Amino acid sequence: MAKFELIGTASIPGKGSELRLLQRNDEFSIRIAGTAGELMNTRLHGSEDALAELACQRVADRPGVRVLVGGLGMGFTLAAALAALGEDAEVVVAELVPGVVEWNEGPLGAAAGYPLKDPRTRVSVGDVGELLRREPGGFDAIMLDVDNGPEGLTRRENDWLYSPDGLAAAQEALRPEGVLAVWSAGQDPAFTERLRRIGLLVETVTVRAHRPGKGARHCIWLAY
């Protein structure tokens, strides 16, 4: 079997570490330098698709719907959101690492169908938390997949997003009857309770990393 080859690196702002993009034939992998395992793989994106599908199905029939994808990653959540929404939608994707945007504009983009080229896509390079604070009442749905779950793995500053203050900012950034969807590699009852304490109704959905019904079990919170 062919081996993965390193084809790109990108610094993580504020962390002093880097992401690495590797390729093996038509398969791509993103990893954090100096750590075991991988963050993402183009062959395992079923739960990233589900994040967008579960959130967008609740708001897709609204005219001029506007949604936020926190974390571009390999582009699969963005692509699924675009597929679920109409031609008058706007999908804002916030990505902290400029290099990840460049990868999706280049060789990695083909895996998800180059969703950055869709005219409904708007890219915001920077901290998604700052974007939430800037846009109260700005979004019908917010989808967060900026880490491995409700804690900052790639960047400790991401912890704020999952804190009561961060969740309150996300709540304020939602339009009436909007939905907040959060991806996680696993269950976290304490996070469920945190969402409820700020007055949100919460559903947890278990989805598989690979479709149909294969791979690790991941968790998506839907809060509204």
Side-chain angles (χ1 to χ4, degrees), residues 57-217:
Q57 70 183 9
R58 294 174 174 268
V59 300
D61 59 349
R62 301 182 184 185
V65 64
R66 187 168 186 256
V67 304
L68 170 64
V69 176
L72 173 58
M74 292 180 156
F76 292 109
T77 300
L78 171 60
L82 291 164
L85 300 174
E87 291 303 312
D88 65 341
E90 179 178 85
V91 183
V92 180
V93 58
E95 173 54 51
L96 179 71
V97 182
V100 171
V101 177
E102 294 172 7
W103 294 343
N104 277 269
E105 292 172 337
L108 177 58
Y114 290 104
L116 290 183
K117 294 183 178 181
D118 192 297
R120 296 170 293 167
T121 299
R122 302 288 181 270
V123 179
S124 175
V125 177
D127 188 336
V128 68
E130 294 179 3
L131 179 59
L132 291 174
R133 289 188 288 260
R134 287 200 308 267
E135 297 216 29
F139 303 101
D140 295 285
I142 296 169
M143 294 151 270
L144 296 180
D145 182 10
V146 300
D147 237 305
N148 221 34
E151 60 180 351
L153 173 66
T154 58
R155 183 172 179 261
R156 299 312 303 177
E157 290 87 341
N158 287 348
D159 282 343
W160 179 85
L161 276 176
Y162 311 109
S163 71
D165 287 344
L167 295 175
Q171 187 179 27
E172 286 293 317
L174 287 172
R175 292 173 175 172
E177 299 183 15
V179 59
L180 169 65
V182 182
W183 183 95
S184 175
Q187 298 282 345
D188 188 333
F191 183 65
T192 303
E193 183 60 25
R194 213 175 302 152
L195 288 164
R196 288 176 175 153
R197 284 180 179 172
I198 65 168
L200 294 168
L201 298 175
V202 184
E203 297 178 30
T204 57
V205 181
T206 299
V207 294
R208 302 297 287 267
H210 185 64
R211 292 180 172 179
K214 297 180 180 179
R217 288 176 170 82

